[in-house]
Amino acid sequence: MAADQAESNLQVQPLPLMKRLTQEHTRVFFFSLGKLGRNPVGTLLTALVIGVALALPAGMHVLTQNLSKISYSWQDSLQLSLFLKDSVSSERGAALAREIRDRPGVQATRYVSREQSLAEFRSQSGFGEALDVLQDNPLPAVIAVTPERGRNKLQVEVLLGELTRLPEVDLAKLDQKWLERLYAILGIIDRAVFIVGLLLGIAVVVTVGNTIRLDIEARREEISVMKLIGAPDSFIRRPFLYTGFWYGLAGSVFALVLVLAGTLALSGPSETLASLYDSTFTLSGLSFGSSLLLLLTGIVLGWIGAWITVWRHLAHIQPQ
Amino acid sequence: MTDIIHFNQVGYRYPGGKDVLSDVTFSLGRGEMAFVTGSSGAGKTTLLRLVGLLCKPTRGQVMVDDVNLASLKGGDIAPFRQRIGMVFQNFNLLYDRTVFDNVALPLVIRGFAYSDVQRRVRAALDAVGLLNREKSSPLTLSGGEQQRVGIARAIVSKPALILADEPTGNLDPEMSKEVMKLFERFNQVGVSVLIATHALHLIVHMPHRIIHLDGGKITARRPRTPAMNDLPPFPGEDLRGR
Ligand SMILES: Nc1ncnc2c1ncn2[C@@H]1O[C@H](COP(=O)(O)OP(=O)(O)O)[C@@H](O)[C@H]1O
Ligand SMILES: [Mg+2]
């Protein structure tokens, strides 16, 4: 072109594609971050909203993970509890425990007299003084029966039926029963987490999308000028997509912090609770993998929100 | 490889409106500078918009740099616009960036290396006499300076063609003359320049071709004049008083 001849000493070419994309993405990466930094309050509020939306399902996930861990550890110590009638003496009770231990399918038994029950309850529950008010010991004697390992559910239930029919036994209970219930509940919670997660994921997309829509509105003229001087759509789109990326990243970092704080706040009480059940259970937070997944989810949702908005709104801006 | 712009019986009508341009036929040669004149509403802006592919003719053909613009669509439009330098009456600068960044934009869009961008932006700013203001915000500049930033941005990617729509519309007479001289200087190094203006008094004694529009039709033409002192009379000259 004619103008080039006049200034041929300045003749330059655009960079090769890969270098060009690297340079351009690096530029927009920081450019979009700088733009967000100019409105720190608004940016943080948006990121916080996204963070809460992501923290809810993530927190619920942590909860179900922990609950299923508890139930898993209890499955190991599967027990039958035989509550004896009050009329049964402690000698008879202890003898019965020995008899039951000799049955096939039984690994061990432990007899806990009414007095021992009371003492254990006193020391573990912290309600000892309340019991002093009562005239009588309200607790029954218990024989804890541990079935042999490897017995299947049906065999254990047959054993339970036999033991229930013993004349000394008032009530027999398989701890598995409420474990099953817990599993069922966990199943429901898991599904709820999924649905809530899905809805809140949509909320994140909408939040980012709306924020970026306002941003596009505010920068209408700038976009129009860019189109005038020949900026392709990909060039105009890029800063907004990176803005979505930053919102998603900041939001998921917030979510991680919220979940971590929640885990820490709950870990004290939950350990007390676990000790009541003779368990060494400790509350675990998000694993490294899950944390990474949370970050990735946040980023992808932010990016999707940005993309949808940009796709819907940029085309409407025509250069004047 | 003939003319940089060629209009062949071009007509344009805004959707649902009347004809804004009709039967417009003219050419701008490579390396030529010409003015499109006419009173407000004559169709000057529309003519330039057709060249910049901001709208498409409803009749006839527009050829720019040997490309029939009717054949360009979608993704072709942005690369096409990159080949043209556009200058606007209202400058169309981005006020949240420095002068340097404004001028650099066309090069950044095209993906030049930063070292080259810097060199070319400095050269462009030097050409319009604003090298010392590269770090300023356009907001701190006078209208004339802002328009020179706009011109630097238009020439920084060395387009073969510059389009300017009322480039002096917001400038005082002194500044207007300066800006017109700038366009002449770029034309002297081979850039084709098409300028729309209603300020006939400003350009009538310049030696360039004039195409005069009235009601969307070309009603008068004045050829390029070799010397400033023997200008032939021009029918629109009575507009000069303004
Ligand atoms: N967007 C539009 N829709 C309908 N009519 C328009 C539009 N823009 C301009 N016009 C009409 O087109 C005619 C030419 O306008 P324009 O090209 O801007 O003239 P000039 O630049 O010479 O003042 C005018 O009558 C104007 O009212
Ligand atoms: Mg106009």
Side-chain angles (χ1 to χ4, degrees):
Chain A
M1 289 187 184
D4 291 337
Q5 292 153 17
E7 287 182 76
S8 57
N9 58 324
L10 287 180
Q11 182 64 55
V12 286
Q13 291 292 317
L15 287 166
L17 185 68
M18 276 317 291
K19 269 193 175 167
R20 191 159 101 200
L21 287 179
T22 312
Q23 176 182 287
E24 175 60 9
H25 280 269
T26 313
R27 181 186 73 82
V28 177
F29 185 82
F30 291 109
F31 174 80
S32 54
L33 185 62
K35 279 252 171 197
L36 288 173
R38 277 188 230 172
N39 177 16
V41 178
T43 302
L44 284 181
L45 280 179
T46 305
L48 192 62
V49 170
I50 296 166
V52 170
L54 290 172
L56 277 171
M60 281 167 80
H61 172 72
V62 168
L63 204 68
T64 55
Q65 285 291 297
N66 280 293
L67 286 176
S68 62
K69 202 172 73 177
I70 298 175
S71 56
Y72 188 76
S73 71
W74 284 349
Q75 178 130 54
D76 234 22
S77 55
L78 180 70
Q79 275 197 345
L80 305 174
S81 299
L82 308 177
F83 298 95
L84 303 185
K85 290 177 178 157
D86 283 357
S87 57
V88 178
S89 70
S90 32
E91 289 76 25
R92 176 68 199 120
L96 185 62
R98 282 191 298 276
E99 284 168 38
I100 293 172
R101 192 182 56 209
D102 294 336
R103 280 171 175 260
V106 175
Q107 158 123 22
T109 59
R110 186 168 74 97
Y111 175 69
V112 184
S113 70
R114 301 182 63 194
E115 291 71 29
Q116 282 170 311
S117 283
L118 188 65
E120 276 182 23
F121 187 74
R122 247 182 229 286
S123 69
Q124 289 187 0
S125 70
F127 288 115
E129 262 133 54
L131 291 173
D132 291 342
V133 181
L134 300 171
Q135 301 278 312
D136 282 328
N137 178 359
L139 300 176
V142 181
I143 298 175
V145 180
T146 310
E148 262 175 4
R149 270 174 185 275
R151 296 261 145 182
N152 67 32
K153 212 174 123 199
L154 195 69
Q155 289 167 320
V156 173
E157 270 169 6
V158 168
L159 179 66
L160 179 73
E162 287 168 13
L163 296 177
T164 310
R165 281 191 292 278
L166 291 174
E168 293 89 346
V169 173
D170 188 20
L171 184 72
K173 212 176 106 233
L174 178 61
D175 284 346
Q176 176 90 41
K177 276 260 159 62
W178 76 267
L179 263 185
E180 272 171 10
R181 250 173 248 147
L182 181 64
Y183 274 132
I185 293 171
L186 284 180
I188 295 171
I189 295 180
D190 261 342
R191 190 160 302 181
V193 171
F194 179 75
I195 294 169
V196 167
L198 207 67
L199 291 177
L200 289 173
I202 293 171
V204 170
V205 169
V206 170
T207 306
V208 172
N210 198 46
T211 309
I212 289 180
R213 186 181 60 78
L214 294 176
D215 200 15
I216 290 176
E217 276 321 308
R219 288 159 69 183
R220 250 194 129 73
E221 241 166 84
E222 179 179 342
I223 293 166
S224 161
V225 170
M226 296 244 201
K227 287 194 175 186
L228 271 179
I229 61 178
D233 285 348
S234 59
F235 182 88
I236 297 173
R237 203 157 46 209
R238 210 166 284 138
F240 295 106
L241 295 183
Y242 269 95
T243 304
F245 160 84
W246 285 119
Y247 277 132
L249 179 65
S252 47
V253 167
F254 261 125
L256 276 179
V257 170
L258 286 176
V259 172
L260 184 70
T263 313
L264 286 179
L266 284 179
S267 69
S270 75
E271 266 156 40
T272 314
L273 183 71
S275 72
L276 285 180
Y277 288 87
D278 270 341
S279 161
T280 55
F281 166 78
T282 52
L283 193 69
S284 46
L286 278 178
S287 66
F288 180 73
S290 303
S291 305
L292 221 56
L293 189 68
L294 179 61
L295 282 179
L296 207 68
T297 307
I299 290 170
V300 168
L301 289 178
W303 189 85
I304 291 175
W307 212 94
I308 293 175
T309 308
V310 163
W311 177 69
R312 285 183 52 207
H313 290 91
L314 277 193
H316 296 316
I317 301 179
Q318 284 307 322
Q320 292 307 306
Chain B
M1 275 307 287
T2 46
D3 300 321
I4 189 131
I5 298 177
H6 182 72
F7 272 49
N8 182 26
Q9 296 187 306
V10 171
Y12 186 77
R13 166 196 297 244
Y14 282 98
K18 61 177 174 59
D19 283 350
V20 169
L21 290 178
S22 40
D23 203 18
V24 171
T25 300
F26 81 97
S27 300
L28 183 75
R30 284 175 194 276
E32 192 188 4
M33 175 160 170
F35 292 103
V36 179
T37 61
S39 54
S40 175
K44 308 181 292 295
T45 296
T46 306
L47 189 148
L48 289 195
R49 284 172 63 85
L50 285 167
V51 179
L53 207 47
L54 295 165
C55 54
K56 287 194 167 183
T58 42
R59 278 160 164 272
Q61 293 98 41
V62 177
M63 305 280 293
V64 177
D65 214 359
D66 296 321
V67 177
N68 184 346
L69 298 195
S71 68
L72 297 182
K73 35 184 80 71
D76 304 330
I77 294 175
F80 168 77
R81 280 192 201 134
Q82 289 171 13
R83 291 160 57 192
I84 300 177
M86 288 200 235
V87 177
F88 311 90
Q89 176 172 5
N90 61 353
F91 320 137
N92 273 339
L93 301 178
L94 303 182
Y95 291 95
D96 63 341
R97 305 164 199 225
T98 61
V99 165
F100 182 97
D101 287 343
N102 268 277
V103 177
L105 201 53
L107 300 178
V108 173
I109 288 171
R110 292 170 71 176
F112 284 90
Y114 285 153
S115 50
D116 292 336
V117 170
Q118 195 151 38
R119 218 149 41 103
R120 298 257 304 244
V121 170
R122 295 247 164 87
L125 282 173
D126 196 24
V128 300
L130 282 177
L131 195 48
N132 57 338
R133 304 305 299 268
E134 63 173 6
K135 293 202 176 67
S136 309
S137 158
L139 284 172
T140 64
L141 304 184
S142 71
E145 288 169 326
Q146 290 188 39
Q147 191 54 296
R148 273 144 64 201
V149 174
I151 293 169
R153 183 181 65 187
I155 56 139
V156 74
S157 53
K158 296 187 198 168
L161 173 64
I162 290 181
L163 302 175
D165 189 9
E166 309 274 7
T168 61
N170 284 334
L171 306 183
D172 62 46
E174 260 327 288
M175 252 351 326
S176 299
K177 276 185 203 146
E178 290 286 315
V179 162
M180 287 300 182
K181 273 190 200 140
L182 262 179
F183 284 120
E184 283 194 305
R185 273 191 36 215
F186 293 119
N187 176 240
Q188 277 156 19
V189 297
V191 184
S192 315
V193 181
L194 186 63
I195 300 175
T197 179
H198 68 273
L200 202 51
H201 60 283
L202 201 65
I203 54 136
V204 76
H205 46 267
M206 293 169 89
H208 309 291
R209 199 146 67 89
I210 298 178
I211 297 152
H212 189 73
L213 284 176
D214 194 354
K217 291 191 167 72
I218 297 180
T219 55
R221 300 171 192 255
R222 192 192 76 182
R224 181 181 166 80
T225 50
M228 300 262 281
N229 13 17
D230 53 53
L231 293 172
F234 182 67
E237 221 167 329
D238 53 314
L239 290 171
R240 179 168 20 169
R242 221 244 284 189

